[in-house]
Amino acid sequence: MKNQLYEKLLSSFEDMVVIRRHLHMHPELSFKEENTAKFIVDFYAQLGIEVQSGVGGNGVIARVKGGKPGKTVALRADFDALPIQDEKEVSYQSTVPGVMHACGHDGHTATLLQLAKAIHELQENLSGEYVFIHQHAEEFAPGGAKPMIEAGCLDGVDVIFGTHLWSLTDFGTIEYRVGPVMAAADRFDIIIQGAGGHGAAPHQTKDAVAIGAQLVTNLQQIVSRRVNPTESAVLSVASFIADNAFNVIADSAQLGGTVRTFNPEIRSLMESEIQRVVDGTALANDCKIELTYTRGYPTVVNHEAETIFLKTIAQDVPGVEAVLETKQHMGGEDFGYYLEKVPGTFFFTGAKPDEPYPHHHPKFDFDENAMLVAAKVLGAAALDYQKQAAIDIE
């Protein structure tokens, strides 16, 4: 049955590319993906596949029931874009100024759509049920996974698999990892309220720029001096805004940044230490500093049994040349919410093009052949999971 699936995917690969390029040319930002969601719904409707729109927002769910009893397997793809200007010189360049698919979500969507079509064509000979989760708003917290789960997208699901096309990993490579694989992603915003004045009379002010500079330096001491060196943590101050004339001392300043961790205890430590540094800096400078700390996506923690299962089946999938254990990634992914509810695993599919650029880069692109590999691995995982479940029952 897997060979038939592979043949159908291969025959539909050109359609997969067409879909990917259409989506790449018409990207939509997180929580604004109305046309993309409609495109997905129309695709399923034309095939006569059961589909539900408006799931937790702009999310879409399609379901295919096999002709035999079995487990319920969910497969997930995200479909939102980023606020980045597309600088690639390609025929499928984004037509929307300042918006592009710079992380491969267009490829994820095209992959899952064609995989769903192939499974639908084989459904009478398949066991169990297949849930295709098309998720909106992965790029912007609070994200789309949580509201889709709350709307019931995982109801009855026994296992979930997901993949990310990875532009810096060699084509033909599948990367897996048991346990924490992607970091919890938090955000902090800081407002410094000082007392502005003339640049020639600093003694009459509380210089928000100088205080902000102290704060940035103090914050950088947290990871190096408060976190156990055997643990992982990242604190990055990404913005510092205090716009004034050249001879005016700033009355206020705003800082913003992100914190990335794997260990829940370290996550809590980082939050409390940032608050302590903020309070201490405010006291030292006799000013008011307000911290807003927002917890974003949880750590993506892959389940052991499902990850080893994925590793094993990937080794025999046509087009896969290497199956390797990946290092932990400090990037965030709201796939972690799914794995908090049901067993599953999230893996990376190598998609390095001839001229690779990192994710979220204005010239980001990927080797489109990787979509076929991703579809085969996801499909093999779905079908073999049903087979393994039947053996376990016997």
Side-chain angles (χ1 to χ4, degrees), residues 1-7 68 122-126 383:
M1 191 58 61
K2 282 194 298 183
N3 288 334
Q4 293 181 49
L5 179 70
Y6 296 155
E7 291 173 2
K68 307 172 186 178
L122 297 170
Q123 70 180 111
E124 291 303 320
N125 296 316
L126 299 180
L383 269 57

Side-chain angles (χ1 to χ4, degrees), residues 79-97:
F79 60 80
D80 56 326
L82 286 155
I84 299 173
Q85 179 63 39
D86 193 351
E87 296 181 0
K88 296 189 303 298
E89 295 182 1
V90 294
S91 61
Y92 50 90
Q93 184 182 48
S94 171
T95 61
V96 183

Side-chain angles (χ1 to χ4, degrees), residues 107-306:
H108 300 167
T109 302
T111 296
L112 193 59
L113 288 174
Q114 289 300 323
L115 176 56
K117 179 175 180 288
I119 288 178
H120 171 64
E121 292 173 351
L122 297 170
Q123 70 180 111
E124 291 303 320
N125 296 316
L126 299 180
S127 300
E129 183 174 2
Y130 304 85
V131 181
F132 303 96
I133 299 174
H134 291 271
Q135 184 203 308
H136 62 299
E138 185 278 329
E139 295 287 5
F140 194 82
K146 191 173 182 179
M148 287 193 73
I149 293 169
E150 292 170 350
C153 76
L154 291 181
D155 290 355
V157 168
D158 296 297
V159 69
I160 186 168
F161 298 103
T163 190
H164 203 306
L165 299 171
W166 211 247
S167 70
L168 299 181
T169 296
D170 290 339
F171 170 77
T173 301
I174 296 296
E175 294 184 325
Y176 71 94
R177 187 178 184 86
V178 174
V181 64
M182 299 191 77
D186 297 341
R187 170 179 178 171
F188 62 86
D189 296 278
I190 297 172
I191 298 176
I192 302 168
Q193 185 58 59
H198 200 291
H203 61 292
Q204 298 175 349
T205 72
K206 297 176 183 178
D207 188 344
V209 170
I211 296 168
Q214 291 177 27
L215 190 54
V216 171
T217 300
N218 293 341
L219 289 172
Q220 295 305 318
Q221 303 297 314
I222 295 176
V223 173
S224 65
R225 291 296 176 268
R226 297 297 298 159
V227 176
N228 188 320
T230 62
E231 296 285 355
S232 298
V234 169
L235 186 158
S236 294
V237 179
S239 65
F240 189 148
I241 303 172
D243 190 20
N244 283 291
F246 78 99
N247 59 349
V248 176
I249 289 178
D251 180 69
S252 63
Q254 299 178 35
L255 280 68
T258 186
V259 172
R260 306 296 171 105
T261 55
F262 290 105
N263 185 328
E265 294 182 1
I266 299 300
R267 189 182 195 183
S268 296
L269 174 68
M270 291 297 296
E271 181 176 359
S272 63
E273 285 297 303
I274 291 174
Q275 185 66 67
R276 184 181 65 81
V277 168
V278 165
D279 292 343
T281 305
L283 179 63
N285 289 277
D286 190 25
C287 69
K288 181 180 179 181
I289 305 179
E290 180 181 346
L291 166 68
T292 301
Y293 193 97
T294 304
R295 292 207 171 194
Y297 304 154
T299 306
V300 178
V301 183
N302 285 331
H303 295 246
E304 182 175 5
E306 288 69 27

Side-chain angles (χ1 to χ4, degrees), residues 50 56 65 353:
E50 177 186 346
K65 293 183 179 180

